Amino acid sequence: MSTLARTPTAADAEAPGTSRRHRIDDWRPEDPTFWRTTGAPVARRNLWVSIFAEHVGFSVWSLWSVTVLFLGPEYGIDPAGKFLLTAVPAALGAVLRLPYTLAVARFGGRNWTIVSALLLLVPTVPMTVLLEPGVSYSTLMVLACLTGVGGGNFASSMANINLFFPDRLKGRALGLNAGGGNLGVPAVQLVGLAVLATAGAAYPRLVPAVYLPLIVLAALASARWLDNIPAARNAPGALRAAAADRHTWVMSLLYIGTFGSFIGFGFAFGQVLQLQFAERFPTPVDAAWLTFLGPLIGSLVRPLGGQLADRLGGALVTFWNFVAMAAGAALVLYAARDRSFGLYLVGFLALFVLSGVGNGSTYKMIPAIFRARAADEHGRDPAAAERWARRMTGSLIGIAGAVGASGGVLVNVAFRQSFLTSGNADAAYLAFIGWYGFCVVLTWVVYLRPGRTRLAGV
């Protein structure tokens, strides 16, 4: 007697004993009935586990933002050398973002999250063993570079969560995912502060040691509670098509200004405080108790950027956000020249807040750009238009994430060069003001200027 074949659904991912427990072949988040009855609980479960795994990845990526505070005179490293140690993790993280994005479709979101979590052991285990006076600078550079694997986790996590939620909820979901991950920056700095306050600056190896069990826990949680969506595949030619699209590079430049600022400032803030106001921060612990504040509030407000973009439009929020970032950088420059620590701190914290808001609003713009253009590309075939928009969105997220993360390198290099040439960071602040002004003009010209070519809903 024959039976009708049934397509596996998201509910099968919950059923114990099934051979495809973590595989979802039928996923229709845009179907209101499916979303209400089946999709929403599965998507939320994947979101919370993804946030935790990405959070640990961000913490590992940011290890050297606090590790450099432990490197006293006995390590023989000048400030320029320390800025390089915080620049190289950002560089590798930027390079890895594109292949990590593609890995989600190639191997499955669950499978790749397990692998990417375990890869975090590659830098943390040797750091736990080797961090002590007498270690060579080249060894420190290699260890710092290896922590860049944590930067790739963000891209794969965002690409994976983007698959689970309907378009109307992507801004909030991606904002929560990114914000929870970004909290890894202040979290690792709080860990560093706790080590400095208890064990002292002689034990930097304790900071990566704290994350060894958390890395294993992230891998185990991913194996237990995440799912794969096999229907998500890297469409042939999608990356090439996205790379040839001007909006990919426009959004990449804007993302340098938002996420590049966030991660760059997060890595450099502690060092800049010690150099800019040396009399206030004679020891690492004096700087460490302030270092985490900027990344903390920048991470917490990231979902707000996505929610504002859902309500007001991503381009409008991004435009005014860059205006405010230029003003914030100008305030920091004025306070640095006036030696006003209070104004300086307010200005820098404002930059962290605004970079967080901009992170959320720019990510909301990406799917909106291709939804607005889908009808023109595929006429009256809504299914083909949706497929095109989805594959282009995934590819653009990968490219923009990689290019945007390079902003973390540029920020640290700007600070390094400014201190080397003039002994202060004024030139770096002027460069930031100029870049934010450029982003204001770019956002207006491409997405807000009235005319026939303006994209609706972006």
Side-chain angles (χ1 to χ4, degrees), residues 30-237:
E30 301 297 343
D31 181 335
T33 302
F34 176 88
W35 178 255
R36 184 177 64 256
T37 59
T38 304
V42 175
R44 284 195 293 267
R45 169 166 49 77
N46 278 267
L47 174 62
W48 297 126
V49 177
S50 175
I51 287 173
F52 173 65
E54 186 195 339
H55 175 93
V56 176
F58 247 96
S59 294
V60 172
W61 193 22
S62 308
L63 272 171
W64 285 86
S65 69
V66 66
T67 301
V68 292
L69 299 180
F70 287 83
L71 305 182
E74 64 273 19
Y75 286 85
I77 305 172
D78 62 11
K82 292 181 181 180
F83 277 118
L84 281 181
L85 287 173
T86 54
V88 290
L92 182 61
V95 171
L96 290 179
R97 283 189 162 204
L98 187 55
Y100 268 54
T101 299
L102 300 176
V104 169
R106 177 66 179 85
F107 302 106
R110 169 184 176 267
N111 299 343
W112 184 250
T113 304
I114 297 169
V115 172
S116 62
L118 292 175
L119 284 173
L120 300 175
L121 294 171
V122 173
T124 50
V125 170
M127 283 180 68
T128 303
V129 174
L130 298 174
L131 279 181
E132 61 182 12
V135 63
S136 68
Y137 184 72
S138 59
T139 299
L140 294 178
M141 283 288 285
V142 171
L143 294 176
C145 184
L146 288 174
T147 59
V149 296
N153 289 22
F154 173 85
S156 56
S157 179
M158 294 293 278
N160 186 41
I161 292 304
N162 186 60
L163 299 171
F164 280 92
F165 285 84
D167 284 338
R168 70 182 187 279
L169 299 177
K170 284 186 190 295
R172 181 174 183 272
L174 292 175
L176 286 170
N177 190 58
N182 290 172
L183 282 170
V185 183
V188 74
Q189 292 168 349
L190 283 172
V191 170
L193 174 60
V195 171
L196 284 168
T198 55
Y203 299 98
R205 64 179 62 188
L206 293 179
V207 181
V210 168
Y211 282 91
L212 297 180
L214 295 178
I215 291 168
V216 175
L217 181 59
L220 292 174
S222 301
R224 173 65 179 84
W225 286 298
L226 289 187
D227 301 302
N228 294 318
I229 301 180
R233 290 287 180 262
N234 293 317

Side-chain angles (χ1 to χ4, degrees), residues 1 5 13 188 223 241 321:
M1 184 174 64
V188 74
N321 193 72

Side-chain angles (χ1 to χ4, degrees), residues 82-454:
K82 292 181 181 180
F83 277 118
L84 281 181
L85 287 173
T86 54
V88 290
L92 182 61
V95 171
L96 290 179
R97 283 189 162 204
L98 187 55
Y100 268 54
T101 299
L102 300 176
V104 169
R106 177 66 179 85
F107 302 106
R110 169 184 176 267
N111 299 343
W112 184 250
T113 304
I114 297 169
V115 172
S116 62
L118 292 175
L119 284 173
L120 300 175
L121 294 171
V122 173
T124 50
V125 170
M127 283 180 68
T128 303
V129 174
L130 298 174
L131 279 181
E132 61 182 12
V135 63
S136 68
Y137 184 72
S138 59
T139 299
L140 294 178
M141 283 288 285
V142 171
L143 294 176
C145 184
L146 288 174
T147 59
V149 296
N153 289 22
F154 173 85
S156 56
S157 179
M158 294 293 278
N160 186 41
I161 292 304
N162 186 60
L163 299 171
F164 280 92
F165 285 84
D167 284 338
R168 70 182 187 279
L169 299 177
K170 284 186 190 295
R172 181 174 183 272
L174 292 175
L176 286 170
N177 190 58
N182 290 172
L183 282 170
V185 183
V188 74
Q189 292 168 349
L190 283 172
V191 170
L193 174 60
V195 171
L196 284 168
T198 55
Y203 299 98
R205 64 179 62 188
L206 293 179
V207 181
V210 168
Y211 282 91
L212 297 180
L214 295 178
I215 291 168
V216 175
L217 181 59
L220 292 174
S222 301
R224 173 65 179 84
W225 286 298
L226 289 187
D227 301 302
N228 294 318
I229 301 180
R233 290 287 180 262
N234 293 317
L239 193 62
R240 190 182 310 113
D245 193 297
R246 73 183 182 111
H247 290 282
T248 297
W249 302 107
V250 171
M251 292 306 303
S252 295
L253 293 174
L254 297 181
Y255 202 52
I256 287 176
T258 56
F259 181 77
S261 294
F262 173 82
I263 199 65
F265 293 153
F267 284 5
F269 191 36
Q271 294 183 77
V272 173
L273 281 177
Q274 282 194 292
L275 292 171
Q276 196 84 62
F277 295 94
E279 70 283 357
R280 281 182 170 268
F281 304 103
T283 66
V285 72
D286 293 318
W289 76 271
L290 274 179
T291 300
F292 75 93
L293 282 178
L296 175 64
I297 58 178
S299 302
L300 292 175
V301 302
R302 180 159 186 163
L304 175 62
Q307 291 169 1
L308 286 174
D310 285 337
R311 179 178 299 180
L312 303 174
L316 187 64
V317 173
T318 299
F319 173 84
W320 285 110
N321 193 72
F322 276 123
V323 171
M325 289 185 77
L331 178 60
V332 169
L333 174 61
Y334 171 80
R337 289 179 170 177
D338 198 50
R339 305 298 298 164
S340 173
F341 176 70
L343 276 180
Y344 184 86
L345 185 61
V346 168
F348 232 120
L349 293 181
L351 285 175
F352 275 109
V353 170
L354 295 166
S355 65
V357 171
N359 285 340
S361 65
T362 49
Y363 251 89
K364 178 62 179 177
M365 289 172 67
I366 292 173
I369 288 168
F370 293 114
R371 284 200 308 271
R373 297 169 56 203
D376 293 336
E377 294 288 336
H378 292 278
R380 297 183 178 181
D381 186 347
E386 181 180 347
R387 288 194 301 272
W388 177 84
R390 188 167 297 170
R391 74 188 185 103
M392 292 293 284
T393 294
S395 297
L396 194 158
I397 285 175
I399 296 172
V403 176
S406 67
V409 183
L410 298 176
V411 167
N412 281 270
V413 170
F415 277 127
R416 177 181 184 272
Q417 194 59 37
S418 186
F419 279 110
L420 273 177
T421 56
S422 61
N424 58 54
D426 290 3
Y429 302 138
L430 288 170
F432 302 151
I433 295 169
W435 185 260
Y436 301 146
F438 167 75
C439 290
V440 168
V441 174
L442 187 63
T443 306
W444 169 261
V445 170
V446 180
Y447 298 114
L448 292 175
R449 183 175 54 176
R452 291 185 299 107
T453 59
R454 180 175 177 179

